[in-house]
């Protein structure tokens, strides 16, 4: 394979790393460009961390699962709680998926651990030309090749040639903007507050992963493996809130005490605010340029679908690029990638995450009551529970995509 036959992958996030590793496994060379350096790669803010069963199967395909499993928590069960009633509403058990997947559980393992392990694998792989501390700035394409313009670690401009370029550089994708592809959707006016806290919520009956509805202050509550063990709690904010004021230690304590009153202060390890977008690119492919992961779609983290669906993009794309680069398929296969993965983004991840937020924040008492009854009934009926879990874990989205020609 000639150097110029390689795939240029922009961004060593979970999507760019999985794509590079999966292509490398098939003997396809990539040039993986990442602006972070060896020194600051691990200084990234807390983000995704719930890995669904189908994603675990994909990690396993490239040997990544074995590296992250010891660093995560196997969590077969997740909960819905009603904060105003201080009650557990429903417990969903992934064991209902035992005939659908080899991994009938989620793995609670943070994005940062996944990229750390995947980066280590990428460094050791001779098929991957890893360029850290290198900023991608622009690209050009014609019928035969693409050229990525980068600023390398010494600050010099460099041109990198390849057959295809995959934009996995996240929501601010330079490739998407360069192609003038509309990022359709909306941005919530309110930001979400994330608090990291060292406290074992399981002693109060919570699972490793909890969705807590409340008409005033809904939450997500997740457990991450230490040392030291930490929990992450998400709270809504008001658009007019002062970011500094709501993150003062006493304000963070008040939030946590409101969720679960306890004697003494909580041990807070950190906090941050993030903006939530619900957007999908109008096209995932233009010629030799392809969008994947957050570059193509972004959504609220309620339901844990952003990183998971991005990783699913990476593997779908691998299965299209490999035969194309071996001259066994023409590149119309990439249009199928566009059709399949846009369908999943619009009909599954967008629809479900918008619904998930509405469910947690619902204010009408009659609708709340009906929602809770439905969740309870669904969790208790094995057939309904399996159908629910197939959707929530994105297995249904993958099966549906397979039917798209
Ligand atoms: C608070 C929060 C919680 C979340 N929780 C979940 C969850 O539980 N489950 C889930 O599935 N998803 C979750 N998500 C979403 C998830 O984090 C993203 O969907 C996922 O990280 C996207 O991966 P990616 O590889 O596409 O992009 P990113 O993770 O954004 O990675 C992009 C990479 O590209 C690099 N880069 C950017 N610009 C350039 C450039 N010009 N040149 C070179 N490199 C560049 C960046 O440094 C980065 O390394 C959450 C998000 C947030 C904000």
């Amino acid at each position: 394979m000639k150097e110029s036959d390689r795939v240029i992958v922009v961004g060593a996030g979970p999507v760019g790393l999985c794509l590079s590793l999966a292509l490398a496994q098939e003997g396809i060379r990539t040039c993986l460009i990442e602006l972070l350096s060896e020194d600051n790669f691990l200084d990234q803010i807390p983000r995704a961390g719930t890995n669904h069963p189908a994603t675990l199967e994909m990690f396993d395909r490239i040997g990544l699962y074995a590296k992250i499993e010891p660093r995560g928590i196997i969590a077969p069960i997740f909960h819905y709680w009603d904060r105003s009633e201080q009650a557990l509403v429903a417990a969903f058990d992934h064991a209902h998926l035992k005939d659908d997947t080899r991994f009938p559980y989620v793995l609670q393992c943070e994005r940062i651990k996944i990229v750390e392990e995947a980066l280590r694998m990428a460094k050791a792989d001779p098929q991957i030309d890893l360029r850290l501390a290198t900023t991608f700035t622009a690209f050009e394409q014609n019928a035969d090749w693409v050229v990525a313009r980068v600023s390398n670690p010494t600050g010099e401009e460099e041109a990198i040639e390849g057959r295809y370029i995959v934009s996995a550089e996240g929501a601010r994708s330079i490739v998407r903007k360069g192609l003038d592809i509309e990022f359709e959707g909306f941005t919530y006016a309110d930001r979400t507050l994330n608090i990291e806290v060292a406290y074992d919520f399981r002693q109060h009956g919570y699972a490793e992963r909890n969705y807590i509805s409340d008409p005033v202050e809904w939450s997500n509550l997740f457990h991450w493996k230490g040392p030291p063990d930490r929990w992450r709690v998400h709270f809504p904010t008001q658009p007019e809130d002062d970011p500094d004021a709501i993150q003062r230690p006493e304000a963070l304590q008040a939030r946590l005490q409101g969720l679960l009153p306890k004697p003494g202060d909580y041990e807070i390890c950190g906090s941050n605010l993030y903006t939530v977008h619900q957007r999908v690119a109008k096209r995932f492919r233009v010629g030799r340029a392809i969008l994947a992961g957050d570059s193509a779609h972004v959504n609220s983290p309620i339901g844990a679908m952003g990183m998971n669906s991005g990783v699913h993009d990476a593997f779908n794309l691998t299965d299209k690029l490999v035969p194309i680069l071996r001259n066994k398929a023409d590149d119309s296969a990439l249009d199928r990638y566009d059709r399949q993965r846009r369908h999943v983004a619009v009909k599954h991840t967008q629809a479900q995450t918008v619904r998930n937020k509405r469910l947690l924040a619902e204010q009408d008492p009659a609708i709340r009551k009906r929602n809770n009854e439905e969740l309870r009934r669904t969790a208790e009926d094995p057939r309904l529970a399996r159908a629910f879990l197939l959707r929530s874990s994105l297995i249904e989205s993958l099966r549906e995509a397979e039917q798209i020609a």
Side-chain angles (χ1 to χ4, degrees), residues 11 15 34-35 47-50 111 136 169 274 294 304 306-308:
V15 175
E34 169 58 48
L35 63 79
R47 287 168 65 177
T50 296
R111 173 188 174 283
F136 167 77
E169 77 271 32
Y274 61 90
D294 274 18
M307 180 170 72
N308 283 274

Side-chain angles (χ1 to χ4, degrees), residues 379-391:
E380 283 165 6
D381 177 323
R383 195 180 52 83
L384 294 177
R386 174 174 168 263
F388 182 95
L389 288 156
L390 285 172
R391 256 192 321 280

Side-chain angles (χ1 to χ4, degrees), residues 269-341:
C269 317
S271 73
N272 63 292
L273 270 175
Y274 61 90
T275 304
V276 177
H277 309 274
Q278 296 283 165
R279 295 183 185 275
V280 180
K282 196 157 188 151
R283 299 177 67 181
F284 283 13
R285 179 221 172 175
V286 175
R288 298 184 169 276
I290 306 145
L291 310 182
D294 274 18
S295 155
H297 45 77
V298 283
N299 53 263
S300 122
I302 308 175
M305 296 189 166
M307 180 170 72
N308 283 274
S309 65
V311 169
H312 299 185
D313 291 348
F315 282 85
N316 183 305
L317 190 52
T318 301
D319 294 342
K320 306 291 189 291
L321 283 171
V322 169
I324 292 170
L325 289 161
R326 287 184 182 150
N327 296 320
K328 294 203 167 114
D330 67 56
D331 76 2
S332 63
L334 296 174
D335 293 328
R336 182 163 179 240
Y337 163 81
D338 180 310
R339 286 192 294 277
Q340 290 177 311
R341 297 309 303 165

Side-chain angles (χ1 to χ4, degrees), residues 132-405:
L132 291 177
T134 301
T135 305
F136 167 77
T137 53
F139 82 104
E140 292 125 47
Q141 62 170 324
N142 69 16
D144 302 314
W145 44 254
V146 290
V147 171
R149 308 265 165 211
V150 303
S151 159
N152 71 21
T154 57
E156 287 159 9
E157 298 298 312
E158 195 185 326
I160 297 173
E161 198 176 320
R163 281 274 295 278
Y164 291 95
I165 184 165
V166 179
S167 164
E169 77 271 32
R172 297 202 175 105
S173 168
I174 292 169
V175 173
R176 191 189 67 240
K177 289 177 189 160
L179 291 167
D180 212 13
I181 298 175
E182 204 180 324
F183 210 20
E184 297 174 320
F186 66 92
T187 298
Y188 286 106
D190 55 317
R191 282 162 303 174
T192 299
L193 173 65
N194 172 44
I195 308 180
E196 307 262 328
V197 54
Y199 182 72
D200 192 351
F201 287 87
R202 286 173 301 185
Q203 57 191 301
H204 303 279
Y206 289 99
E208 317 283 0
R209 178 173 164 231
N210 309 273
Y211 296 102
I212 305 166
S213 71
D214 189 72
V216 182
E217 197 176 57
W218 55 267
S219 301
N220 300 322
L221 175 63
F222 303 123
H223 184 199
W224 310 115
K225 186 170 182 170
D229 258 29
R230 278 167 304 111
W231 291 67
R232 190 179 292 167
V233 199
H234 293 163
F235 290 107
T237 65
Q238 297 302 319
E240 62 280 9
D241 282 345
D242 170 9
D244 294 331
I246 60 174
Q247 291 188 83
R248 284 201 190 106
E250 59 280 14
L252 299 178
Q253 288 294 340
R255 292 264 189 176
L256 294 169
Q257 291 287 355
L259 172 69
L260 181 70
K262 79 168 189 71
D265 279 350
Y266 279 95
E267 189 188 330
I268 293 172
C269 317
S271 73
N272 63 292
L273 270 175
Y274 61 90
T275 304
V276 177
H277 309 274
Q278 296 283 165
R279 295 183 185 275
V280 180
K282 196 157 188 151
R283 299 177 67 181
F284 283 13
R285 179 221 172 175
V286 175
R288 298 184 169 276
I290 306 145
L291 310 182
D294 274 18
S295 155
H297 45 77
V298 283
N299 53 263
S300 122
I302 308 175
M305 296 189 166
M307 180 170 72
N308 283 274
S309 65
V311 169
H312 299 185
D313 291 348
F315 282 85
N316 183 305
L317 190 52
T318 301
D319 294 342
K320 306 291 189 291
L321 283 171
V322 169
I324 292 170
L325 289 161
R326 287 184 182 150
N327 296 320
K328 294 203 167 114
D330 67 56
D331 76 2
S332 63
L334 296 174
D335 293 328
R336 182 163 179 240
Y337 163 81
D338 180 310
R339 286 192 294 277
Q340 290 177 311
R341 297 309 303 165
R342 261 202 107 249
H343 170 86
V344 167
V346 174
K347 298 280 187 230
H348 289 267
T349 48
Q350 294 294 316
Q352 281 196 64
T353 49
V354 168
R355 217 168 31 233
N356 287 345
K357 182 168 183 197
R358 208 177 297 137
L359 178 78
L360 296 191
E362 181 57 57
Q363 305 208 333
D364 182 319
I367 302 178
R368 289 179 60 76
K369 186 161 177 279
R370 206 169 58 223
N371 287 344
N372 286 351
E373 281 166 5
E374 193 179 323
L375 280 170
R376 210 169 278 132
R377 203 173 47 248
T378 305
E380 283 165 6
D381 177 323
R383 195 180 52 83
L384 294 177
R386 174 174 168 263
F388 182 95
L389 288 156
L390 285 172
R391 256 192 321 280
S392 68
S393 66
L394 290 171
I395 292 175
E396 185 180 280
S397 79
L398 290 164
R399 290 181 181 170
E400 216 172 276
E402 268 318 297
Q403 304 307 312
I404 296 174

